Amino acid sequence: MTEEWRGWRVAAEEALYGPEGFYRRPEGPAGHFRTSVHASPLFAGAVARLLCRVDEALGRPGTLDFVDMAAGRGELAAGVLRALPDEVAARTRAYAVEFADRPESLDGRIEWRPEPPRGITGLLFANEWLDNVPLDVVETDAAGVPRLVLVRRDGSERLGAPVAEVSDADARWLEEWWPLGSEEGLRAEIGLPRDEAWASAVACVERGLAVAVDYGHMAGTRPPFGTLTGFCAGRETAPVPDGTCDITAHVALDSCAAYAGRAPALPGARLLRQRDALRALGVTGARPPLALASTDPAGYVRALAGAGEAAELTAEGGLGDFWWLVQPVGAADPIAEV
């Protein structure tokens, strides 16, 4: 197996989601890296407020769906249910979409499944999902021709066939969304599988909102040598497709937005930074008034801790730089003022 040369998409699919893949390990993603969900319960609270806004936009349906894509161990879905007002929680049907087995301690109200349900009325929320949708990597050779990068299980690489000979669709995507120059050694990650995955997820929403949160890049600012990397035990590492580390790459979210927007009668998507989205949902990071320290010392300490957590979620150069891809479906955009 170590000697088999494969494209990164196939290699990462097995390394992440195969029988012994990284995302099936018992410690879960939280054992290796920190997402907004793990950083603070303020994030789940903000998503709960967003779900309430979707609920209002939909006219408070009898059943309100919340779908947590790439749910890890269900932390976000559980946090959203805890943060919802009782009346809304009573109508909410929560789903956690994940390949791994259901955690034994998970809230019994959450349905665990390997794919999202169809006909969603409510909110589909994908936090750091698309960056783990496997994709192929290309690199220009000495003649400036983009070739598929092949990899072995130990992480060693070599160049394969020109991408145009392997897949017309991939070649077209590359030309439209990440054109490479003629310099040798330039790299790109072909985002078509992520476009298709996002469009498929959006198609599951009958009425409501779909949101993807991820680190990404836009046309004109693509990194010249790609972004493929690994994470293990809280540290960035070389991407090795052997199941021992996360394998991730930044997302061309503008491409995802355009691809999903090709659906008939689907309104345009919006892209905004996490700091702006969270502030619109009440996560400001403002320090509590100092006077509170004398009248309610415990409350002041709690508020100060909350301000620190909010600052982490909205920080420039950190989690605040994440992009939110917001796609309304048959309903008004509930954070349109941003």
Side-chain angles (χ1 to χ4, degrees), residues 155-301:
S156 55
E157 294 181 336
R158 75 177 189 192
L159 297 187
V163 65
E165 296 180 7
V166 177
S167 168
D168 288 341
D170 284 353
R172 288 195 300 270
W173 188 94
L174 193 66
E175 182 178 359
E176 179 177 4
W177 291 104
W178 199 333
L180 292 171
S182 58
E183 180 184 347
E184 183 179 5
L186 299 177
R187 288 172 70 117
E189 295 123 13
I190 298 177
L192 183 58
R194 294 169 174 185
D195 294 352
E196 294 171 341
W198 178 239
S200 178
V202 170
C204 292
V205 181
E206 186 172 314
R207 293 177 61 229
L209 190 71
V211 178
V213 181
D214 240 309
Y215 41 90
H217 41 63
M218 304 296 155
T221 60
R222 309 284 190 218
F225 304 110
T227 63
L228 187 73
T229 191
F231 281 93
C232 184
R235 295 186 177 184
E236 188 170 5
T237 185
V240 179
D242 61 358
T244 62
C245 69
D246 186 26
I247 297 172
T248 179
H250 293 208
V251 185
L253 283 165
D254 49 350
S255 174
C256 292
Y259 193 94
R262 296 173 188 172
L266 197 62
R270 289 193 308 124
L271 283 160
L272 63 157
R273 294 290 190 179
Q274 172 156 297
R275 68 178 66 88
D276 297 321
L278 290 183
R279 286 167 182 162
L281 294 168
V283 180
T284 65
R287 293 174 62 89
L290 190 58
L292 184 64
S294 57
T295 60
D296 183 4
Y300 177 78
V301 171

Side-chain angles (χ1 to χ4, degrees), residues 13-176:
E13 182 74 35
E14 180 180 318
L16 294 177
Y17 306 115
E20 298 180 359
F22 176 81
Y23 278 98
R24 297 186 185 272
R25 293 166 62 124
E27 70 272 19
H32 294 273
F33 50 83
R34 180 180 173 90
T35 72
S36 296
V37 176
H38 308 123
S40 170
L42 293 176
F43 189 78
V47 176
R49 287 190 289 277
L50 177 58
L51 180 59
C52 288
R53 292 192 186 186
V54 173
D55 184 40
E56 292 178 8
L58 295 175
R60 297 183 175 85
T63 299
L64 178 68
D65 297 319
F66 175 70
V67 180
D68 179 10
M69 292 291 297
R73 297 302 178 263
E75 298 95 336
L76 179 60
V80 167
L81 286 177
R82 286 193 297 269
L84 287 173
D86 290 343
E87 187 277 328
V88 179
R91 292 185 287 109
T92 297
R93 183 169 51 190
Y95 301 89
V97 180
E98 182 58 72
F99 286 109
D101 294 335
R102 179 190 179 96
E104 293 182 2
S105 60
L106 187 66
D107 189 320
R109 295 173 292 175
I110 301 171
E111 181 177 334
W112 192 266
R113 52 189 297 151
E115 58 186 23
R118 306 290 298 183
I120 295 165
T121 300
L123 173 62
L124 180 145
F125 199 89
N127 185 62
E128 296 196 46
W129 166 49
L130 290 173
D131 68 287
N132 287 127
V133 173
L135 38 58
D136 277 319
V137 178
V138 298
E139 181 177 320
T140 51
D141 63 14
V145 176
R147 291 180 175 269
L148 193 68
V149 176
L150 304 180
V151 63
R152 294 193 303 193
R153 196 169 186 269
D154 63 5
S156 55
E157 294 181 336
R158 75 177 189 192
L159 297 187
V163 65
E165 296 180 7
V166 177
S167 168
D168 288 341
D170 284 353
R172 288 195 300 270
W173 188 94
L174 193 66
E175 182 178 359
E176 179 177 4

